[in-house]
Coordinates of all heavy atoms in Angstrom, one line a residue:
R1 N -25.9 5.8 -24.0 CA -26.6 4.7 -24.8 C -27.2 5.3 -26.1 O -27.7 4.5 -27.0 CB -27.6 4.1 -23.9 CG -27.0 3.4 -22.8 CD -28.0 2.7 -21.9 NE -27.4 2.0 -20.8 CZ -27.4 0.6 -20.8 NH1 -28.0 -0.1 -21.6 NH2 -26.7 0.1 -19.7
D2 N -27.3 6.6 -26.3 CA -27.7 7.2 -27.5 C -26.6 7.5 -28.5 O -26.9 8.1 -29.6 CB -28.5 8.5 -27.2 CG -29.7 8.3 -26.4 OD1 -30.4 7.3 -26.5 OD2 -30.0 9.2 -25.5
G3 N -25.4 7.1 -28.3 CA -24.3 7.3 -29.2 C -23.6 8.6 -29.0 O -22.7 8.9 -29.8
N4 N -23.9 9.4 -28.0 CA -23.2 10.6 -27.7 C -21.9 10.3 -27.0 O -21.9 9.5 -26.2 CB -24.1 11.6 -26.8 CG -25.4 11.9 -27.6 OD1 -25.3 12.4 -28.8 ND2 -26.6 11.7 -26.9
R5 N -21.0 11.1 -27.3 CA -19.6 10.8 -26.7 C -18.9 12.2 -26.2 O -19.2 13.2 -26.9 CB -18.7 10.3 -27.8 CG -17.2 10.2 -27.4 CD -16.4 9.6 -28.5 NE -16.9 8.4 -28.9 CZ -16.7 7.7 -30.1 NH1 -15.8 8.4 -31.0 NH2 -17.2 6.6 -30.4
A6 N -18.3 12.1 -25.1 CA -17.6 13.3 -24.6 C -16.2 12.8 -24.0 O -16.1 11.7 -23.5 CB -18.4 13.9 -23.5
T7 N -15.2 13.5 -24.3 CA -13.8 13.2 -23.8 C -13.2 14.5 -23.2 O -13.4 15.6 -23.7 CB -12.9 12.8 -25.0 OG1 -13.6 11.6 -25.6 CG2 -11.5 12.4 -24.5
V8 N -12.5 14.3 -22.1 CA -11.7 15.5 -21.5 C -10.3 14.8 -21.2 O -10.1 13.7 -20.9 CB -12.4 16.0 -20.2 CG1 -13.7 16.7 -20.5 CG2 -12.5 15.0 -19.2
A9 N -9.4 15.8 -21.2 CA -7.9 15.5 -20.9 C -7.6 16.2 -19.5 O -7.9 17.4 -19.4 CB -7.1 15.8 -22.1
L10 N -6.8 15.6 -18.7 CA -6.4 16.1 -17.5 C -4.8 16.0 -17.5 O -4.3 15.0 -18.0 CB -6.9 15.4 -16.3 CG -8.4 15.4 -16.2 CD1 -8.8 14.3 -15.2 CD2 -9.0 16.7 -15.8
T11 N -4.2 16.9 -16.6 CA -2.7 16.7 -16.3 C -2.5 16.8 -14.9 O -3.3 17.4 -14.2 CB -1.9 17.7 -17.1 OG1 -2.2 19.0 -16.7 CG2 -1.9 17.5 -18.6
F12 N -1.6 16.1 -14.4 CA -1.1 16.2 -13.0 C 0.4 16.0 -12.9 O 1.0 15.5 -13.8 CB -1.9 15.3 -12.0 CG -1.8 13.8 -12.4 CD1 -0.9 13.1 -11.9 CD2 -2.7 13.3 -13.3 CE1 -0.7 11.7 -12.3 CE2 -2.6 11.9 -13.7 CZ -1.7 11.1 -13.2
E13 N 1.0 16.4 -11.8 CA 2.4 16.3 -11.6 C 2.7 15.2 -10.6 O 1.9 15.0 -9.7 CB 3.0 17.7 -11.0 CG 2.9 18.9 -11.9 CD 3.7 18.7 -13.2 OE1 4.8 18.3 -13.0 OE2 3.2 19.0 -14.2
V14 N 3.8 14.5 -10.8 CA 4.3 13.5 -9.9 C 5.7 14.0 -9.6 O 6.6 14.3 -10.4 CB 4.4 12.2 -10.6 CG1 5.0 11.2 -9.7 CG2 3.0 11.7 -10.9
S15 N 5.8 14.2 -8.3 CA 7.1 14.8 -7.7 C 7.6 14.0 -6.6 O 6.9 13.4 -5.8 CB 6.8 16.3 -7.4 OG 7.9 16.8 -6.7
D16 N 8.9 14.0 -6.4 CA 9.5 13.4 -5.1 C 9.1 14.2 -3.9 O 9.3 13.7 -2.8 CB 11.0 13.2 -5.3 CG 11.3 12.3 -6.3 OD1 10.6 11.2 -6.6 OD2 12.4 12.4 -7.1
D17 N 8.7 15.4 -4.1 CA 8.3 16.3 -2.9 C 7.0 17.0 -3.2 O 6.9 18.1 -3.6 CB 9.4 17.4 -2.7 CG 9.1 18.2 -1.5 OD1 8.4 17.8 -0.6 OD2 9.6 19.4 -1.5
P18 N 5.9 16.1 -3.1 CA 4.6 16.7 -3.5 C 3.9 17.7 -2.4 O 2.9 18.3 -2.7 CB 3.7 15.5 -3.5 CG 4.3 14.5 -2.5 CD 5.8 14.8 -2.6
G19 N 4.5 17.8 -1.2 CA 4.0 18.7 -0.3 C 2.8 18.4 0.4 O 1.9 19.3 0.5
G20 N 2.5 17.2 0.7 CA 1.4 16.8 1.5 C 0.7 15.6 0.9 O 1.2 15.1 -0.1
C21 N -0.3 15.1 1.5 CA -1.0 13.9 1.1 C -2.3 14.3 0.2 O -2.9 15.4 0.4 CB -1.5 13.1 2.2 SG -0.2 12.3 3.1
A22 N -2.6 13.4 -0.7 CA -3.8 13.6 -1.5 C -5.0 13.0 -0.8 O -4.9 12.1 0.1 CB -3.6 12.9 -2.9
D23 N -6.2 13.6 -1.0 CA -7.4 13.2 -0.5 C -7.9 12.1 -1.4 O -8.7 12.4 -2.3 CB -8.4 14.3 -0.2 CG -9.8 13.9 0.3 OD1 -9.9 12.8 0.8 OD2 -10.7 14.8 0.1
A24 N -7.7 10.8 -1.3 CA -8.0 9.8 -2.1 C -9.5 9.5 -2.4 O -9.8 9.3 -3.5 CB -7.3 8.4 -1.7
D25 N -10.3 9.8 -1.4 CA -11.7 9.5 -1.6 C -12.6 10.8 -1.9 O -13.7 10.8 -2.0 CB -12.5 8.8 -0.5 CG -12.3 9.5 0.8 OD1 -11.9 10.7 0.9 OD2 -12.5 8.9 1.9
L26 N -11.8 11.9 -1.9 CA -12.4 13.2 -2.5 C -13.6 13.7 -1.4 O -14.4 14.5 -1.8 CB -13.0 13.1 -3.8 CG -12.0 12.8 -4.9 CD1 -12.8 12.5 -6.3 CD2 -10.9 13.7 -5.0
D27 N -13.4 13.4 -0.1 CA -14.4 13.8 0.8 C -14.0 15.1 1.6 O -14.8 15.6 2.4 CB -14.8 12.8 1.7 CG -13.6 12.3 2.7 OD1 -12.5 12.9 2.6 OD2 -13.9 11.5 3.5
G28 N -12.8 15.6 1.2 CA -12.4 16.9 1.9 C -11.6 16.7 3.2 O -11.2 17.7 3.9
F29 N -11.3 15.4 3.5 CA -10.6 15.1 4.8 C -9.3 14.4 4.5 O -9.4 13.3 3.7 CB -11.4 14.3 5.8 CG -12.6 15.2 6.3 CD1 -13.8 15.0 5.6 CD2 -12.5 15.9 7.4 CE1 -14.9 15.8 6.0 CE2 -13.7 16.7 7.8 CZ -14.9 16.6 7.1
E30 N -8.2 14.8 5.0 CA -6.9 14.1 4.8 C -6.8 12.8 5.6 O -7.3 12.7 6.7 CB -5.7 15.0 5.1 CG -4.5 14.6 4.8 CD -3.4 15.6 5.0 OE1 -2.9 15.7 6.1 OE2 -3.0 16.3 4.1
A31 N -6.1 11.8 4.9 CA -6.0 10.4 5.5 C -5.3 10.6 6.9 O -4.4 11.4 7.2 CB -5.2 9.6 4.7
A32 N -5.7 9.7 7.9 CA -5.0 9.6 9.2 C -3.5 9.4 9.0 O -2.7 9.9 9.8 CB -5.7 8.6 10.1
A33 N -3.1 8.5 8.0 CA -1.7 8.3 7.8 C -0.8 9.5 7.5 O 0.3 9.4 7.6 CB -1.5 7.2 6.7
C34 N -1.5 10.5 7.1 CA -0.9 11.8 6.7 C -1.0 12.8 7.8 O -0.8 14.0 7.5 CB -1.3 12.2 5.3 SG -1.0 11.2 4.0
G35 N -1.5 12.5 9.0 CA -1.8 13.4 9.9 C -3.2 14.0 10.0 O -3.5 14.9 10.7
G36 N -4.0 13.5 9.0 CA -5.5 14.1 9.0 C -6.4 13.2 9.9 O -5.9 12.5 10.7
D37 N -7.7 13.6 9.8 CA -8.7 12.9 10.6 C -9.5 11.8 9.9 O -10.4 11.2 10.5 CB -9.8 14.0 11.0 CG -9.1 15.1 11.8 OD1 -8.0 14.9 12.4 OD2 -9.7 16.2 11.8
D38 N -9.2 11.5 8.6 CA -10.0 10.5 7.9 C -9.4 9.2 8.1 O -8.4 8.7 7.6 CB -10.0 10.8 6.4 CG -11.1 10.1 5.6 OD1 -11.6 9.1 6.1 OD2 -11.5 10.6 4.5
C39 N -10.2 8.3 8.8 CA -9.7 7.0 9.2 C -9.9 6.0 8.0 O -9.2 4.9 8.1 CB -10.3 6.5 10.5 SG -12.1 6.2 10.3
D40 N -10.7 6.3 7.0 CA -10.8 5.4 5.7 C -10.8 6.3 4.6 O -11.8 6.8 4.1 CB -12.1 4.6 5.9 CG -12.2 3.6 4.8 OD1 -11.4 3.7 3.8 OD2 -13.1 2.7 4.8
D41 N -9.6 6.6 4.1 CA -9.5 7.5 2.9 C -9.9 6.8 1.6 O -9.6 7.5 0.6 CB -8.1 8.1 2.8 CG -8.1 9.5 2.1 OD1 -9.1 10.2 2.2 OD2 -7.1 9.8 1.5
G42 N -10.4 5.7 1.6 CA -10.9 5.0 0.5 C -12.4 5.0 0.3 O -13.0 4.6 -0.7

């Protein structure tokens, strides 16, 4: 709100063989659909 600005750039890979599931909600637990223990990965 003071007019200060910051920008960062990220890159990531998209592959047909990613080697596992991503932790969509960033809580450190893999989704149950991928064999993990997180019943709500959102």
